[in-house]
Amino acid sequence: MSKRPYVLASAATSLDGYLDDTSDERLLLSSPEDFERVGQVRGGVDAILVGANTIRADNPRLLSRSGPNPVKVTITGSGKLDPEAGFFTTGDVEKLVYAPSSVARRLELPATVVDAGEPLDIHRVLADLAERGIQRLMVEGGSAIHTLFFTEGLVDELQLVIAPFFVGEAGAPRFVGPGSFPQGRMLLAETRQLGDVVLLRYLTGQGATDFTRLREAAELAENCPPSTTFRVGSIVTDSRNTVLATGFSGETDPHDHAEEAALAKLGNDPRLAEATIYSSLEPCSSRASRPLSCTRHILDAGIPRVVFAWREPNLFVDAQGTELLRAAGREVVEIPELAYLVRRANSHLPGVSEEPTA
Ligand SMILES: NC(=O)c1ccc[n+]([C@@H]2O[C@H](COP(=O)([O-])OP(=O)(O)OC[C@H]3O[C@@H](n4cnc5c(N)ncnc54)[C@H](OP(=O)(O)O)[C@@H]3O)[C@@H](O)[C@H]2O)c1
Ligand SMILES: [Zn+2]
């Protein structure tokens, strides 16, 4: 299977599951607090995708409120897009339009038009985005687009906002249309009230797998002997999420780091070439106790994916694990929602409280 970005689907619906009503006016579903949040989420992704019909219906500008503006992406079968739409005219960022071969050939727009096969192949779209360096993609709808992404099993995370009213119009667009949805029961990672709307954050696929395994890794730190440094847990899994090894700080010697302890059990295991290492703390990049950092161990082991919860605070040394791993082409996923578990296991350290600091 080809590489694709992490896909975050985002939508706001009425209580009865509609994305909009049937009027020409855009229906306001979110609260001001939620608009602010969506703006921040946009600032944290590499690209945003909406369907051509949302561009025609809502004329969204798709700009972030903080951080750099993401690349804008749309897909169209007809090619019927207005070059004056806000999608094309706002934001100093690249715009990508994916269309079937026959349409892409003749389409002229102020954007990069990409041939996505005949008929358009959404897997090919995502593989192309990955090749362009898009690691995190936010999919903002509308209905046809969400249905396509969910039924194809291409979503890792859903951020669903529920507004406190009914639409009640049979012809209005639903969040998704009928289809076969392979997600099954998703993992509820967070609920948050934002004014009078509520955000539900669900994880599925790789997103759910990573969240669950990382939480297990963080819980392993409870086994660490009392320490004056970090208490960390680590799990190594193969490409099918089977556990290959686990480790925790101080497991066999007070100087052991968790990742090192787990990797020491595996030697040159060929499965490491497709493995993921979960570590509650960002892998260290230099250390006082031993010559080789955990970042070095991970690079040497050839592990392509690293998932962690808490960015190493610069208590002992300057931490650069993430930067070094990414520079070497490794995928690094940070799940800050689980950082509270790591702070809890490390509240013996100076300046570490269980509460979020940011
Ligand atoms: N509440 C929210 O969070 C939210 C967010 C976004 C949108 N909306 C609402 O959703 C409604 C729009 O939803 P929608 O379902 O009508 O449209 P949509 O999902 O935005 O776009 C559908 C269009 O995308 C293109 N497309 C989709 N699948 C394709 C495929 N497999 N191959 C090629 N092209 C494909 C087609 O474009 P062509 O027609 O050009 O061929 C299709 O008509 C609007 O009312 C909007 O206000 C609400
Ligand atoms: Zn280490």
Side-chain angles (χ1 to χ4, degrees):
M1 219 173 67
S2 56
K3 231 172 117 61
R4 66 163 175 86
Y6 182 90
V7 173
L8 187 172
S10 170
T13 73
S14 61
L15 285 174
D16 46 351
Y18 291 105
L19 288 178
D20 196 0
D21 58 19
T22 56
S23 76
D24 285 344
E25 299 276 291
R26 182 178 186 173
L27 178 69
L28 193 70
L29 288 149
S30 290
S31 60
E33 294 88 338
D34 187 55
F35 275 119
E36 189 66 36
R37 178 197 66 84
V38 170
Q40 279 166 10
V41 174
R42 285 178 180 165
V45 298
D46 303 312
I48 299 185
L49 184 150
V50 294
N53 212 32
T54 292
I55 295 180
R56 290 188 292 257
D58 295 351
N59 193 21
R61 302 186 315 147
L62 306 176
L63 302 175
S64 80
R65 300 223 170 177
S66 65
N69 281 316
V71 169
K72 300 191 217 179
V73 185
T74 191
I75 72 175
T76 177
S78 69
K80 290 193 183 109
L81 285 163
D82 177 2
E84 299 297 321
F87 178 91
F88 297 109
T89 55
T90 63
D92 188 16
V93 292
E94 179 160 33
K95 289 104 190 173
L96 296 166
V97 177
Y98 289 89
S101 315
S102 52
V103 175
R105 227 174 281 135
R106 58 166 173 78
L107 206 52
E108 281 183 38
L109 285 166
T112 305
V113 176
V114 187
D115 176 347
E118 194 73 56
L120 180 143
D121 176 357
I122 192 63
H123 298 269
R124 186 162 155 179
V125 170
L126 290 183
D128 184 78
L129 286 169
E131 267 175 41
R132 290 171 194 270
I134 305 299
Q135 291 190 9
R136 287 177 65 83
L137 174 70
M138 184 173 184
V139 173
E140 290 207 41
S143 185
I145 293 297
H146 284 316
T147 308
L148 177 65
F149 273 81
F150 277 99
T151 55
E152 289 292 319
L154 293 170
V155 177
D156 300 291
E157 174 175 345
L158 166 63
Q159 301 192 352
L160 181 67
V161 163
I162 310 287
F165 61 87
F166 298 99
V167 167
E169 294 178 276
R174 301 202 81 102
F175 168 34
V176 290
S180 165
F181 293 85
Q183 287 75 23
R185 229 180 145 87
M186 295 190 278
L187 187 139
L188 179 64
E190 187 190 353
T191 62
R192 206 191 307 167
Q193 182 176 347
L194 293 142
D196 67 353
V197 305
V198 56
L199 165 71
L200 305 170
R201 220 162 55 77
Y202 295 99
L203 299 175
T204 167
Q206 193 63 48
T209 302
D210 285 347
F211 191 91
T212 306
R213 279 285 178 233
L214 185 59
R215 189 165 51 196
E216 286 170 16
E219 283 161 0
L220 280 177
E222 300 306 326
N223 299 314
C224 300
S227 165
T228 52
T229 81
F230 289 110
R231 299 172 72 225
V232 181
S234 178
I235 297 178
V236 183
T237 59
D238 69 7
S239 58
R240 308 170 93 178
N241 191 29
T242 305
V243 175
L244 301 179
T246 66
F248 54 85
S249 325
E251 186 166 346
T252 57
D253 176 287
H255 290 319
D256 286 343
H257 285 193
E259 306 94 306
E260 180 182 47
L263 288 174
K265 295 170 189 166
L266 290 169
N268 289 327
D269 195 312
R271 292 171 298 181
L272 289 170
E274 294 191 333
T276 296
I277 185 163
Y278 296 88
S279 175
S280 55
L281 182 71
E282 176 185 15
C284 65
S285 55
S286 64
R287 60 196 279 194
S289 55
R290 285 187 186 155
L292 292 185
S293 68
C294 291
T295 295
R296 189 71 253 161
H297 283 301
I298 291 168
L299 290 170
D300 291 348
I303 298 180
R305 271 188 103 232
V306 181
V307 182
F308 74 89
W310 197 35
R311 242 177 220 257
E312 183 173 344
N314 293 335
L315 286 179
F316 304 110
V317 289
D318 189 20
Q320 298 176 341
T322 301
E323 289 71 16
L324 291 170
L325 288 161
R326 286 199 176 133
R330 311 302 165 90
E331 181 185 352
V332 181
V333 178
E334 181 176 358
I335 306 183
E337 291 80 9
L338 290 172
Y340 76 97
L341 286 174
V342 197
R343 282 193 296 268
R344 191 157 79 197
N346 288 283
S347 51
H348 59 289
L349 295 175
V352 176
S353 74
E354 289 180 30
E355 297 306 312
T357 45

